[in-house]
């Protein structure tokens, strides 16, 4: 084949991509399909696939660092500052996994992400950190989740969502949040009335499990012993020194004693950690200064809102120009700079202000948007891989897209479990999916409804719909019955059963898609 013929084929592929509506990406900053079909020559397409695979791995690194060092600490700080139970704190978990779609809800995309989180992610939490689940929050979340699944698949059965049904989704989620808040308040009130005031208070350990392991006690006593090495006279550091020290993501003492493979991974994380340190504040209520870094926190008042503006909807709102002249991001930058100047002039380096806890909310929001943006890139990249390897939309929904849409939840939930908050992570598995089903379907359909269109048509996929409905229902019934049977003590056996269940479901669903399993004609 001559070079001219190859160029013609490449132009035809690029034209087919540009004119095919199924190849349009929803959000994201990089157009991966355009790079494959219109930028990279056909002869170096394998190189493009390798580069995309490496970029995908690095996106996973970004998700892990963001969840472990920024998202989860700020969520824990918010829970501590507001004295919220962990199941209340995670009732809003999942808002960073914004609903994707164009109003036509495909069953494979909506259902598979839910079953992945409630089986693989929930099972992974039990494997990482066995724990005792809170009885009433678990039963409440399971009931609401089953109700959300029932409503979703009733809509899929009739293949439409009306205006009243869409509003019903949102009302049900509001009722769920109110139920969480009110039931928690009543539970705390009953405990205060039932328990006598303690004669002395014991130090609380940083864990949400009922059993305190020896490692937590060791950490506590080491922290007490470390007070002996505090300087007798506090030394004041300059503002510039505080800024440079707080922006250093590398501990040189740890670097020297770590193995080579740890150093390679750390070197890959350093650029990500530096960017996140510049944009995401972290509040630590366990420290005396609550991690107050005056110059850096003032910088966060500028960079944090700016990142939120430029990452929300892939910068669509931030790049909008007011009166066609001044961009929105410019207004946000000026407002943040003014607020940062006020905070800098009214605070000191040595003492955090009384409103320092508000930085935890800013850090939670910015880190959640970082996770959402990264997860969107993962979804688009996985979808590109599916197009390259000629996978059908249904197979993509069952595998790559379901995993990609759940990747943010997986990293944040497993990170919470590793850091000693398995209850919070387990509740988030249900709270996030309830949010995605009720708010995602309800709000997504409302946005598609106009004055002349009060019904949104849904796509069904025949037998696959009922396989998904049965798999979701059966998994919920299994957890609803087995968790109380284990006295709410969830261990590695429960986790293995959930992951094995997902593998069986995925196998049956793929065999159905490839018509190995099909209904016999009468």
């Amino acid at each position: 084949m001559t070079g001219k013929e190859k160029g013609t084929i490449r132009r035809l592929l690029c034209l087919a991509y540009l004119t095919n509506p199924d190849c349009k990406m929803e959000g994201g900053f990089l157009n991966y399909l355009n790079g494959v079909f219109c930028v990279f020559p056909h002869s170096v397409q394998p190189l493009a696939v390798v580069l995309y695979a490496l970029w995908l791995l690095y996106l996973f690194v970004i998700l892990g660092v963001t969840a472990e060092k920024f998202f989860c600490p700020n969520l824990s700080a918010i829970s501590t500052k507001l004295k919220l139970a962990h199941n209340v704190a995670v009732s809003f978990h999942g808002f960073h996994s914004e609903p994707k779609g164009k109003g036509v809800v495909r069953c494979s995309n909506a259902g598979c992400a839910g079953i992945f989180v409630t089986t693989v992610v929930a099972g992974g939490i039990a494997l990482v950190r066995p724990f005792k689940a809170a009885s009433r929050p678990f039963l409440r979340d399971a009931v609401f989740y089953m109700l959300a699944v029932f409503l979703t698949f009733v809509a899929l059965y009739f293949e439409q969502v009306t205006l009243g049904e869409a509003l019903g989704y949102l009302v049900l989620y509001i009722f769920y949040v109110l139920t969480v808040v009110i039931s928690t308040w009543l539970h705390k009130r009953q405990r205060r009335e039932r328990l006598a005031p303690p004669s002395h208070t014991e130090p609380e350990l940083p864990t949400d499990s009922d059993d305190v392991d020896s490692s937590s006690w060791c950490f506590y006593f080491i922290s007490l012993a470390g007070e002996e090495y505090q300087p007798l006279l506090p030394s004041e550091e300059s503002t510039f020194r505080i800024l440079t020290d707080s922006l250093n993501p590398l501990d040189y003492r740890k670097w020297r004693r770590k193995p080579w493979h740890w150093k390679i991974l750390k070197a890959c994380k350093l650029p990500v950690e530096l960017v996140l340190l510049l944009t995401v504040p972290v509040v630590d209520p366990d420290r005396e200064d609550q991690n107050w870094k005056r110059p850096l926190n003032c910088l966060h008042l500028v960079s944090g809102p700016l990142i939120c503006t430029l990452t929300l909807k892939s910068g669509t709102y931030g790049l909008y120009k007011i009166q066609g002249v001044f961009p929105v991001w410019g207004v946000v930058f000026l407002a943040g700079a003014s607020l940062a100047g006020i905070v800098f002039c009214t605070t000191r380096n040595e003492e955090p202000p009384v409103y320092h806890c508000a930085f935890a909310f800013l850090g939670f929001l910015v880190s959640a948007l970082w996770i959402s943006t990264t997860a969107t890139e993962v979804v688009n990249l996985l979808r590109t891989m599916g197009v390259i390897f000629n996978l059908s939309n249904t197979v993509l929904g069952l595998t790559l897209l379901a995993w990609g849409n759940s990747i943010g939840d997986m990293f944040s939930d497993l990170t919470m479990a590793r850091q000693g908050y398995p209850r919070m992570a387990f509740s988030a598995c249900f709270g996030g999916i309830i949010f995605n089903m009720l708010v995602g379907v309800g709000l997504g359909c409302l946005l598609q409804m106009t004055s002349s269109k009060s019904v949104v048509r849904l796509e069904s996929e025949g037998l696959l719909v009922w396989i998904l409905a049965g798999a979701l229902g059966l998994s919920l019934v299994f957890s609803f019955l087995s968790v109380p049977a284990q006295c709410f003590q969830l261990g590695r056996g429960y986790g293995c059963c959930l992951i094995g269940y997902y593998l069986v479901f995925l196998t049956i669903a793929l065999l159905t898609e490839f018509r190995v399993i099909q209904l016999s004609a009468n």
Side-chain angles (χ1 to χ4, degrees), residues 77-94:
I78 292 173
S79 177
T80 302
K81 285 292 182 180
L82 298 182
K83 298 180 180 179
L84 295 176
H86 291 156
N87 51 8
V88 178
V90 298
S91 296
F92 305 96
H93 182 275

Tab-separated table of all heavy atoms in Angstrom, residues 77-94:
chain	number	residue	atom	x	y	z
A	77	ALA	N	-12.208	15.474	58.847
A	77	ALA	CA	-12.184	16.721	59.617
A	77	ALA	C	-13.565	17.359	59.691
A	77	ALA	O	-13.968	17.876	60.737
A	77	ALA	CB	-11.179	17.695	58.990
A	78	ILE	N	-14.307	17.318	58.583
A	78	ILE	CA	-15.664	17.862	58.579
A	78	ILE	C	-16.544	17.084	59.552
A	78	ILE	O	-17.316	17.664	60.327
A	78	ILE	CB	-16.247	17.820	57.155
A	78	ILE	CG1	-15.516	18.807	56.252
A	78	ILE	CG2	-17.740	18.129	57.172
A	78	ILE	CD1	-15.907	18.714	54.790
A	79	SER	N	-16.420	15.753	59.510
A	79	SER	CA	-17.205	14.920	60.427
A	79	SER	C	-16.858	15.226	61.881
A	79	SER	O	-17.740	15.277	62.750
A	79	SER	CB	-16.951	13.441	60.117
A	79	SER	OG	-17.640	12.613	61.017
A	80	THR	N	-15.570	15.442	62.161
A	80	THR	CA	-15.145	15.727	63.533
A	80	THR	C	-15.594	17.107	63.989
A	80	THR	O	-16.108	17.280	65.103
A	80	THR	CB	-13.617	15.610	63.638
A	80	THR	OG1	-13.217	14.291	63.247
A	80	THR	CG2	-13.151	15.875	65.063
A	81	LYS	N	-15.419	18.110	63.132
A	81	LYS	CA	-15.756	19.479	63.507
A	81	LYS	C	-17.253	19.664	63.738
A	81	LYS	O	-17.675	20.342	64.682
A	81	LYS	CB	-15.274	20.447	62.423
A	81	LYS	CG	-13.766	20.672	62.438
A	81	LYS	CD	-13.343	21.428	63.679
A	81	LYS	CE	-11.861	21.712	63.689
A	81	LYS	NZ	-11.437	22.447	64.908
A	82	LEU	N	-18.058	19.054	62.874
A	82	LEU	CA	-19.507	19.192	63.007
A	82	LEU	C	-20.115	18.159	63.931
A	82	LEU	O	-21.339	18.145	64.138
A	82	LEU	CB	-20.161	19.104	61.623
A	82	LEU	CG	-19.765	20.178	60.612
A	82	LEU	CD1	-20.528	19.991	59.313
A	82	LEU	CD2	-19.986	21.566	61.171
A	83	LYS	N	-19.264	17.250	64.458
A	83	LYS	CA	-19.704	16.178	65.353
A	83	LYS	C	-20.798	15.344	64.703
A	83	LYS	O	-21.822	15.012	65.311
A	83	LYS	CB	-20.188	16.761	66.692
A	83	LYS	CG	-19.100	17.504	67.448
A	83	LYS	CD	-19.601	18.057	68.760
A	83	LYS	CE	-18.485	18.791	69.506
A	83	LYS	NZ	-18.953	19.355	70.785
A	84	LEU	N	-20.555	15.022	63.434
A	84	LEU	CA	-21.494	14.202	62.682
A	84	LEU	C	-21.092	12.751	62.767
A	84	LEU	O	-19.909	12.425	62.800
A	84	LEU	CB	-21.514	14.619	61.205
A	84	LEU	CG	-22.034	16.021	60.874
A	84	LEU	CD1	-21.887	16.275	59.389
A	84	LEU	CD2	-23.490	16.166	61.284
A	85	ALA	N	-22.074	11.881	62.794
A	85	ALA	CA	-21.775	10.466	62.633
A	85	ALA	C	-21.278	10.234	61.218
A	85	ALA	O	-21.608	10.965	60.283
A	85	ALA	CB	-23.031	9.620	62.897
A	86	HIS	N	-20.478	9.207	61.044
A	86	HIS	CA	-19.868	8.970	59.741
A	86	HIS	C	-20.895	8.671	58.668
A	86	HIS	O	-20.704	9.016	57.505
A	86	HIS	CB	-18.871	7.810	59.841
A	86	HIS	CG	-17.660	8.172	60.649
A	86	HIS	ND1	-16.897	7.229	61.278
A	86	HIS	CD2	-17.096	9.364	60.934
A	86	HIS	CE1	-15.892	7.831	61.917
A	86	HIS	NE2	-16.000	9.117	61.718
A	87	ASN	N	-22.016	8.019	59.039
A	87	ASN	CA	-23.015	7.737	58.012
A	87	ASN	C	-23.714	9.011	57.552
A	87	ASN	O	-24.235	9.068	56.439
A	87	ASN	CB	-24.045	6.716	58.510
A	87	ASN	CG	-24.635	7.115	59.847
A	87	ASN	OD1	-24.394	8.210	60.335
A	87	ASN	ND2	-25.398	6.226	60.443
A	88	VAL	N	-23.737	10.064	58.402
A	88	VAL	CA	-24.286	11.346	57.976
A	88	VAL	C	-23.302	12.041	57.052
A	88	VAL	O	-23.676	12.623	56.033
A	88	VAL	CB	-24.593	12.242	59.200
A	88	VAL	CG1	-25.122	13.596	58.754
A	88	VAL	CG2	-25.595	11.553	60.105
A	89	ALA	N	-22.013	11.958	57.394
A	89	ALA	CA	-21.000	12.630	56.584
A	89	ALA	C	-20.969	12.096	55.166
A	89	ALA	O	-20.731	12.841	54.218
A	89	ALA	CB	-19.623	12.472	57.232
A	90	VAL	N	-21.216	10.808	55.012
A	90	VAL	CA	-21.117	10.222	53.673
A	90	VAL	C	-22.454	10.195	52.949
A	90	VAL	O	-22.547	9.635	51.857
A	90	VAL	CB	-20.553	8.787	53.735
A	90	VAL	CG1	-19.165	8.790	54.313
A	90	VAL	CG2	-21.470	7.875	54.509
A	91	SER	N	-23.484	10.792	53.525
A	91	SER	CA	-24.755	10.851	52.815
A	91	SER	C	-24.636	11.692	51.543
A	91	SER	O	-25.387	11.516	50.590
A	91	SER	CB	-25.842	11.456	53.714
A	91	SER	OG	-26.077	10.631	54.819
A	92	PHE	N	-23.646	12.610	51.559
A	92	PHE	CA	-23.431	13.451	50.391
A	92	PHE	C	-22.273	12.929	49.554
A	92	PHE	O	-21.881	13.560	48.592
A	92	PHE	CB	-23.135	14.886	50.838
A	92	PHE	CG	-24.202	15.441	51.736
A	92	PHE	CD1	-24.058	15.391	53.120
A	92	PHE	CD2	-25.342	15.988	51.207
A	92	PHE	CE1	-25.049	15.901	53.950
A	92	PHE	CE2	-26.335	16.504	52.032
A	92	PHE	CZ	-26.184	16.458	53.400
A	93	HIS	N	-21.720	11.768	49.949
A	93	HIS	CA	-20.627	11.169	49.197
A	93	HIS	C	-21.147	10.722	47.844
A	93	HIS	O	-22.217	10.171	47.720
A	93	HIS	CB	-20.073	9.967	49.957
A	93	HIS	CG	-18.913	9.311	49.285
A	93	HIS	ND1	-19.081	8.363	48.308
A	93	HIS	CD2	-17.593	9.462	49.452
A	93	HIS	CE1	-17.889	7.934	47.912
A	93	HIS	NE2	-16.974	8.599	48.588
A	94	GLY	N	-20.350	10.937	46.822
A	94	GLY	CA	-20.750	10.533	45.485
A	94	GLY	C	-21.135	11.715	44.617
A	94	GLY	O	-21.343	11.540	43.423
